[in-house]
Every structure is written in structure tokens, then in C-alpha cells.
Amino acid sequence: MTEIKLSDTTTVWQLDAPAGFAVKVTRGRAALFTCEKAGALTLDALKECCSPFGVGEAVECDASQYLLAIGLLDDTALMVLGADAEEEVTVSPVEFSPTTDDVRTIVATIGDYYFGYEDRYRTVYENGAQLWESEEPNASLLQMMGERPDVFAGQIIDLGCGEGRDSLYLLSQGHRVVSVDVSHSALARARERAAAADLDPSGFVERDVIHLRGFEDNGFDLAMNMGCLHMLVEEEQRGRHISRVYDILRPGGHFIVDHCASEWGKGFFSIPDYTEVADALVPGNVISRRIRVADSEKDIGLEVLPFSERTGGALAEEITRYGFALVSSTHTNTEAFGSSTMLLFQKPLDGGQRAS
């Protein structure tokens, strides 16, 4: 397959072809912009069509579109997918208005969510850990399964699955699950664990949970967001995620959310002494975190990533704003998420209009 090298972080490249094609980041990180050939290239248009990748998800464009690409790390590489497209895709540096600086301004606003977790998982593995998370499913998931086994039916999507602790458990119980995350390192580990347990690894796919590209409307019976929504802090990102979950759920489908309520980090396995680091739990700070290695544990320095705390009432108000009906709300306190609220929502049976 054809490899396209983005050798620096200053040049914007245009990828074009007579027919549709797709590319995937194979090394480094890149921001990709899907642009309409007939459309004006404005700053607002770029903001809407930016797809920051580097985590494995393929970006597609049809015959009416082209791609703009900019490397976020030196020596970034893309791979053209599809035998027919390989020889047809042209790649050339471009000068345009908006400028390269405008493109980088857009990219600079999206780094923490898209790349923070890939960096986290990779660092943890490089320090000898097999897993960042526990092998066991989340305690809050088991609680919900005990209270409402009826909602765990049909096609399930696990949003922000990480290393697959919940998805693997559901698969082992015979459920049908699609599992999505932005970290290709975490997903690779999840696929390895699935294969080792003689479970199907193909459902672990690279996707941005904000946009949930490639999923048809009304395709799932249950969506689970177990500790992922509280890692989105921008209101626009949170709203886009919630509205997309609404879209992909069938009428009558359910949405489970487990979200930090207060005192982020308290009770986490990786933070054994919360009082020592509480004041330092500020995004961007590097603090000591505990990981499991072989038959022991060790502490390593990891950056605090952005997080959001919401009371149960505030979270319920936020999510029902997008058309969901609240079914239940339970306070949980687990090793995975600390003091949290677990809420169960339902999409109306009539598929009523959601908020825009």
C-alpha cells in the first residue's frame, strides 16, 4: 500500500483523486480535513471538517471531496487504503487562505482528548504494565447488570472502552458488542486479550467518541459510557457526543453513563494516597501514579488529563436536554471512578426530536 510521508509539522498537504479514497495514519499523528471541492475554504468550514487522527481510524472522502493533511509530529506517515485509489491519489503541498497558522490553531485546541490517552496507555506499557486498568469489569457495570439485566440485550456499543474490561466481560457472557476508543495501543491490548480468551476481537475499533463516524442511526439497543464522558470537558464536545449517541440508538434503546461526581482521583487504585496529591490534580501537572507490573506495583510520573465533575442532578439535566428520558440515578464509589453517579437513560419509543 502507498505510504505518504508528512516530513514536518509546518506544511499543509492536499490529497486528491478522481474517485473516492481513504487514508489512515500509520506513524506519528496528523490532522485531516475533509473538504468539498466546490466549497469555499473558510476558517469556519475547516473547524467543522477537522478530523484529528493518529490513532488508527480511517478517514474517507468521496469523489466530490479532497483531504488536507498536516503532521502533528515530525516523520508522520499516512497509508492510502484501497488498491484502485493508490495510483490515483495525488499529494502536493498547498498555500491557501486560511493559512497554515489557522490550521494549527484549530489543531492546538484538540490535543488533550485525542492524544492524551494514547500517550497514557503507551507510557504505562513502556513501564512494564500489562494493563492500565483492572482485568475485571467495572463494579458499576456489574451493579447495573444485576439491577436491570433487561437492558443488556441486542446490539451494544461500549464508548471509550480502553483495554476492553467491560466489553470482554460482556462478550464472555454471549452479548454482541462493538467497542470504540481513540487509543490504538489500548485497543491492540484489548484485541490481544479477546483472542487469548477465544473471543471475537473484530469489534474493537478505532473511533472518536465525539463524532462516532461510520455508525448508522438507530443501530444499537444499548450504549455504555463507563467513565469516558467525564474526560470530555468542552461543552460542545460533550453535547456532540450525547447527541450522536441519541442518533445511533434505536427508539426505546438505553444509555448508561457512569460519571465522576466529585473529588476526582479519590479512591482510584492508581492514586493510593489522595490527600498527598489532591492539590496537584490539575490538568497539565505530572503526578505519581501507581501501576501493576508483573507480580508487584510501582509508581511512575503521569500527566493529569482534563476531567469534568458533575453532580447527578446536573448530569441528568445535561443529558435529558438532548432528548433522553432519565430512568434511574445511583451514587457509586468504585476503584475505577471514585465518587460517581451512574445514570440510566432511555431514548423515547417514538424517537422524538433531540435538541440541536
Side-chain angles (χ1 to χ4, degrees):
M1 296 187 179
T2 300
E3 184 179 73
I4 298 170
K5 296 182 179 180
L6 309 181
S7 56
D8 59 59
T9 60
T10 58
T11 305
V12 178
W13 300 87
Q14 181 172 323
L15 287 63
D16 202 351
F21 65 98
V23 298
K24 183 175 182 176
V25 179
T26 54
R27 186 171 66 251
R29 298 171 181 164
L32 302 175
F33 299 77
T34 308
C35 305
E36 297 294 330
K37 292 179 180 178
L41 195 61
T42 66
L43 187 58
D44 286 341
L46 284 174
K47 289 178 180 178
E48 286 299 315
C49 68
C50 179
S51 303
F53 288 93
V55 292
E57 182 177 356
V59 180
E60 301 178 357
C61 66
D62 59 32
S64 68
Q65 301 168 321
Y66 63 91
L67 294 179
L68 294 179
I70 183 169
L72 305 182
L73 293 175
D74 288 334
D75 197 30
T76 292
L78 312 177
M79 179 175 63
V80 178
L81 305 178
D84 294 339
E86 288 182 19
E87 297 180 359
E88 298 179 352
V89 174
T90 60
V91 183
S92 57
V94 294
E95 295 291 341
F96 59 88
S97 180
T99 66
T100 301
D101 286 343
D102 291 323
V103 174
R104 293 205 62 77
T105 297
I106 296 171
V107 172
T109 65
I110 52 177
D112 289 334
Y113 161 67
Y114 286 96
F115 304 128
Y117 283 91
E118 169 57 20
D119 291 343
R120 164 68 49 79
Y121 286 112
R122 190 182 66 252
T123 301
V124 166
Y125 301 152
E126 289 173 350
N127 277 274
Q130 285 298 307
L131 296 171
W132 165 247
E133 305 159 346
S134 167
E135 293 183 352
E136 302 302 320
N138 284 305
S140 50
L141 172 69
L142 297 178
Q143 179 178 333
M144 181 62 74
M145 293 183 76
E147 295 173 356
R148 291 295 306 268
D150 56 300
V151 306
F152 292 87
Q155 185 66 59
I156 301 171
I157 185 167
D158 186 1
L159 303 159
C161 67
E163 297 161 327
R165 58 190 296 187
D166 291 335
S167 293
L168 291 167
Y169 178 75
L170 291 169
L171 287 169
S172 74
Q173 301 301 301
H175 294 285
R176 292 182 289 128
V177 189
V178 173
S179 313
V180 303
D181 204 275
V182 295
S183 169
H184 61 275
S185 293
L187 287 166
R189 193 58 50 95
R191 295 183 190 112
E192 291 172 1
R193 295 180 64 203
D198 200 25
L199 300 170
D200 183 6
S202 65
F204 291 95
V205 294
E206 292 90 348
R207 287 295 186 277
D208 166 7
V209 297
I210 296 174
H211 298 276
L212 291 172
R213 301 179 185 90
F215 295 117
E216 295 182 358
D217 290 355
N218 306 314
F220 293 94
D221 299 281
L222 172 65
M224 309 188 318
N225 188 310
M226 310 301 285
C228 179
L229 183 58
H230 59 211
M231 307 316 299
L232 301 179
V233 297
E234 300 293 335
E235 294 300 321
E236 181 180 357
Q237 291 180 341
R238 292 171 65 91
R240 190 180 294 264
H241 167 74
I242 298 166
S243 66
R244 281 295 293 138
V245 173
Y246 188 96
D247 290 340
I248 66 175
L249 279 176
R250 296 188 179 103
H254 289 87
F255 183 26
I256 301 171
V257 179
D258 203 356
H259 192 291
C260 179
S262 62
E263 295 184 302
W264 173 263
K266 188 174 184 178
F268 288 15
F269 165 81
S270 63
I271 303 179
D273 194 337
Y274 174 78
T275 58
E276 285 190 0
V277 299
D279 292 340
L281 285 171
V282 177
N285 284 352
V286 174
I287 66 167
S288 178
R289 302 290 292 269
R290 183 153 298 175
I291 61 174
R292 304 173 179 92
V293 292
D295 296 325
S296 62
E297 301 169 354
K298 78 174 186 179
D299 296 334
I300 63 173
L302 291 173
E303 181 178 343
V304 178
L305 300 175
F307 60 88
S308 177
E309 299 173 334
R310 301 286 168 104
T311 65
L315 187 61
E317 190 280 327
E318 177 185 24
I319 295 176
T320 56
R321 193 187 312 150
Y322 292 87
F324 285 101
L326 178 64
V327 177
S328 66
S329 176
T330 306
H331 179 261
T332 61
N333 199 328
T334 67
E335 183 183 272
F337 309 131
S339 177
S340 299
T341 303
M342 181 168 58
L343 301 104
L344 176 64
F345 298 91
Q346 186 172 29
K347 180 176 177 175
L349 284 167
D350 61 4
Q353 293 294 312
R354 63 169 173 80
S356 57

